[in-house]
């Protein structure tokens, strides 16, 4: 493995198989600037440049055989929206900025549209592009993450025991619509863009989160119940199985 300690991007090279996996950390897919918590404003808002794809990954993917694109949950963070380098809106913001609260749904759709367009605009792209749909935001029951919510289930739900709604449904619908539009453009260019949709399967897996056990047994720590991250065996294996089958097609 090699990595620049100043970034979260990583490269794993398996010498025996002559196979390399590169990971690019770009949670919004577009250019973004982290909150300046110590700045004079103390806003805690991310700055998202919704018409500028993140070149840290866009500039690299033309040399890969397979490109897997994924993003969703980070759009729920408070953010300021820029287009043409001008502040046009925000999400979870006060009136101090003088711009409308366009909500997180605006940024999520715009970012996906710009990112997929950037992929299709690459003339030298030779690899297959796989777009992974979102996994559910969380499986908290009987309260939110900060109000005693938990995920104590030890078995998957049945398909008739849950339904996608709210933010998950909004995000999923927008992501699917943007993918379908980009897929048509890719097809017209003779490229392969594929959909990896594990959303319905993950919706039924509240048993895959660490709940209150997200630490080593001997650690005396007080953590909130983690019903967001996938840590237990099973759910993530589904993603791997789906991906392997898609690579064989």
């Amino acid at each position: 493995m090699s990595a620049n300690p100043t970034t979260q991007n990583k490269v794993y090279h398996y010498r025996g198989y002559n196979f390399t996996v590169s990971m690019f950390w770009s949670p919004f897919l577009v250019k973004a600037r982290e909150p300046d918590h110590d700045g004079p404003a103390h806003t805690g808002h991310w700055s998202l440049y919704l018409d500028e794809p993140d070149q840290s990954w866009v500039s690299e993917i033309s040399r890969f055989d397979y490109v897997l694109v994924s993003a969703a949950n980070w759009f729920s963070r408070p953010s300021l929206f820029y287009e043409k380098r001008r502040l046009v809106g925000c999400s979870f913001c006060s009136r101090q900025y003088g711009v409308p609260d366009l909500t997180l749904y605006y940024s999520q759709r715009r970012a996906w549209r710009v990112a997929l367009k950037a992929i299709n605009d690459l003339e030298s792209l030779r690899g297959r592009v796989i777009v992974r749909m979102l996994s559910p935001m969380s499986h908290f029951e009987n309260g939110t993450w900060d109000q005693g919510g938990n995920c104590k289930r030890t078995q998957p739900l049945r398909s008739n025991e849950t339904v996608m709604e709210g933010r998950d449904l909004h995000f999923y619908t927008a992501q699917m619509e943007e993918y379908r539009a980009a897929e048509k453009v890719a097809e017209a260019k003779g490229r392969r863009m594929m959909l990896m949709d594990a959303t319905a399967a993950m919706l039924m897996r509240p048993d895959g989160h660490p709940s209150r056990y997200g630490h080593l047994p001997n650690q005396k720590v007080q953590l909130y119940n983690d019903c967001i991250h996938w840590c237990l065996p099973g759910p993530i294996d589904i993603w791997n199985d789906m991906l392997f089958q898609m690579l064989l097609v």
Side-chain angles (χ1 to χ4, degrees):
M1 184 186 81
S2 63
N4 183 337
T6 63
T7 73
Q8 297 191 49
N9 300 336
K10 294 179 173 60
V11 179
Y12 300 87
H13 180 63
Y14 300 87
R15 189 175 304 168
Y17 296 92
N18 190 27
F19 183 76
T20 300
V21 177
S22 296
M23 298 175 57
F24 298 93
W25 190 79
S26 182
F28 301 101
L29 300 179
V30 295
K31 180 179 178 181
R33 188 175 71 246
E34 292 191 45
D36 183 10
H37 293 287
D38 296 327
H42 298 284
T43 62
H45 283 71
W46 283 78
S47 295
L48 308 184
Y49 298 85
L50 296 178
D51 54 353
E52 300 182 42
D54 185 354
Q55 290 300 321
S56 69
W57 65 268
V58 173
S59 63
E60 298 288 337
I61 63 174
S62 292
R63 58 191 176 91
F64 295 126
D65 296 313
Y66 301 95
V67 178
L68 179 62
V69 185
S70 175
N73 294 359
W74 278 72
F75 290 100
S76 61
R77 296 172 182 259
S79 303
L80 303 175
F81 306 151
Y82 291 85
E83 295 182 8
K84 296 182 178 180
R85 297 299 177 94
R86 184 175 63 87
L87 183 62
V88 298
C90 56
S91 66
F92 301 111
C93 58
S94 63
R95 296 181 179 180
Q96 70 187 70
Y97 298 105
V99 291
D101 188 332
L102 297 176
T103 79
L104 63 169
Y105 304 124
Y106 179 85
S107 59
Q108 186 249 1
R109 181 183 286 274
R110 287 284 294 147
W112 267 104
R113 181 177 303 174
V114 168
L116 294 177
K117 182 179 184 303
I119 293 174
N120 278 328
D121 285 347
L122 290 171
E123 295 299 330
S124 57
L125 181 67
R126 62 183 177 87
R128 188 187 310 180
V129 177
I130 300 173
V131 178
R132 186 181 73 82
M133 301 297 283
L134 64 87
S135 61
M137 289 289 185
S138 70
H139 280 102
F140 285 106
E141 296 184 65
N142 302 316
T144 58
W145 68 272
D146 58 346
Q147 298 292 330
N150 206 341
C151 43
K152 298 180 180 180
R153 294 180 184 267
T154 57
Q155 293 183 344
L157 296 170
R158 297 180 182 274
S159 59
N160 62 352
E161 292 180 317
T162 184
V163 62
M164 185 163 53
E165 57 188 2
R167 182 163 55 189
D168 286 343
L169 181 59
H170 277 283
F171 274 13
Y172 179 86
T173 301
Q175 192 174 351
M176 181 65 78
E177 290 174 354
E178 296 303 325
Y179 167 78
R180 292 302 183 194
E183 182 186 36
K184 292 180 180 179
V185 175
E187 184 177 358
K189 291 189 173 186
R191 295 177 176 175
R192 296 193 68 182
M193 183 174 285
M194 304 177 69
L195 181 68
M196 180 178 168
D197 189 355
T199 304
M202 301 304 288
L203 187 65
M204 295 185 288
R205 296 306 304 268
D207 57 313
H209 306 292
S211 185
R212 64 185 179 90
Y213 302 103
H215 57 83
L216 296 175
N218 59 348
Q219 284 181 310
K220 294 182 179 180
V221 294
Q222 183 67 35
L223 299 174
Y224 71 88
N225 297 320
D226 189 347
C227 303
I228 297 177
H229 296 94
W230 302 100
C231 299
L232 275 65
I236 296 299
D237 300 317
I238 295 174
W239 298 358
N240 293 333
D241 290 342
M242 293 180 68
L243 178 59
F244 290 153
Q245 291 300 318
M246 295 177 73
L247 297 184
L248 296 174
V249 176

